[in-house]
Amino acid sequence: MRPGGARSIDMQDTSDEMLMAAVAARRQQAFRILMDRHMPRAIRVAQRIVRNPAEADDIGQEAFLRVWHKADSFDPAIARFTTWLYRIVLNLAFDRVRRPSFAPIDEAAEIESGEPGAVETIIAREQRRALQDAMARLPERQRGAIALFHMEGLSGEEAARAMDLSAKAFESLLGRARAALKKEVENIENDRRSR
C-alpha cells in the first residue's frame, strides 16, 4: 500500500461538511469524493425540474463548479452540505426553466416501432408520462417541492432549507403542489379517455 493509501480511505469516510472544509482549502480529492457522492442526485433533481437529461447534466456540472468556487462561503452551522447543494441546483434549474430554449431535432418524438409490448409496460409508461406531463404543468417551485420531498426523500425540514423557506411555508407549498399535481393528472387522464 502506498503511503497515501490510508489517507484516501479515511477521506472516503469523511462527512460532507468536513470534505467541504478540505474543498475550501482547494483539495481536489475531497471535491471528487463529494462529486461521486452527490452528482447523480443533483442531476436527478435538476431533471425533474427542467425535464431534459442534457440540461440536467449541465446543471449538475454547473452546480459543482459553484461548489468548488464558493466553497469558502459554505457554513456547516447554517446548513448541511446537501441542503446547500440542493439550493444551488434548484436555483440553476429554475433559471434554466425561465430562459427560453429551443429543442434540438434529435429530441423530436420517436416513432413507435409497431411491435407489440407487454400491456403492463404500456400502462406503466402511460402512467409515468401522465405524471411527467402533470409535473411539467406545475409552477417551478411546486415541482421543486415535490421533487425534493417525494422523489428524493428529503425530510420536510431539509427540503424547506434547500428551498430557503420556513418549514410552515414549505408544508403549505407542498400541499398546494400535491393538490395541483393530482388535479393535473386527473385532467390528463380525462383528456386521454375522451379521445
Side-chain angles (χ1 to χ4, degrees):
M1 179 192 271
R2 290 181 302 162
R7 188 175 199 178
S8 297
I9 293 168
D10 289 341
M11 279 197 92
Q12 288 290 341
D13 297 330
T14 303
S15 73
D16 293 339
E17 290 72 22
M18 291 182 71
L19 287 170
M20 277 304 293
V23 171
R26 298 313 202 213
R27 294 194 52 204
Q28 291 181 5
Q29 181 184 11
F31 182 67
R32 280 192 295 275
I33 292 169
L34 281 173
M35 281 186 67
D36 288 345
R37 283 184 191 172
H38 300 289
M39 180 65 82
R41 186 179 278 180
I43 291 170
R44 274 196 320 268
V45 169
Q47 187 167 348
R48 288 188 173 114
I49 305 301
V50 299
R51 301 188 64 222
N52 178 310
E55 285 191 20
D57 190 59
D58 289 347
I59 288 168
Q61 298 293 327
E62 177 65 25
F64 273 94
L65 278 174
R66 290 190 183 187
V67 166
W68 177 257
H69 291 295
K70 298 185 180 284
D72 56 348
S73 70
F74 172 71
D75 184 354
I78 294 174
R80 292 177 38 206
F81 170 75
T82 51
T83 303
W84 188 68
L85 175 64
Y86 284 136
R87 186 172 299 156
I88 293 169
V89 170
L90 286 172
N91 287 338
L92 289 168
F94 293 158
D95 288 347
R96 189 72 55 105
V97 168
R98 290 180 193 125
R99 194 173 38 182
S101 64
F102 301 96
I105 191 73
D106 58 348
E107 289 183 14
E110 290 183 44
I111 299 172
E112 295 291 328
S113 68
E115 296 178 13
V119 173
E120 293 82 14
T121 303
I122 293 169
I123 291 170
R125 186 176 351 140
E126 287 300 313
Q127 288 174 334
R128 277 194 309 274
R129 188 175 297 144
L131 182 59
Q132 289 172 346
D133 291 348
M135 281 283 287
R137 294 178 183 184
L138 296 180
E140 61 191 31
R141 293 188 63 78
Q142 289 182 3
R143 282 197 310 262
I146 287 175
L148 292 178
F149 187 79
H150 289 289
M151 297 172 174
E152 290 303 317
L154 266 65
S155 70
E157 186 178 311
E158 291 170 327
R161 274 190 252 126
M163 294 189 75
D164 200 21
L165 297 171
S166 69
K168 189 168 183 114
F170 178 78
E171 186 178 314
S172 175
L173 175 65
L174 185 60
R176 289 190 312 275
R178 286 174 178 152
L181 184 61
K182 181 179 178 186
K183 184 176 184 203
E184 291 298 341
V185 168
E186 288 170 358
N187 290 342
I188 289 167
E189 288 176 352
N190 288 338
D191 288 347
R192 288 184 180 158
R193 282 188 209 116
S194 66
R195 287 184 199 161

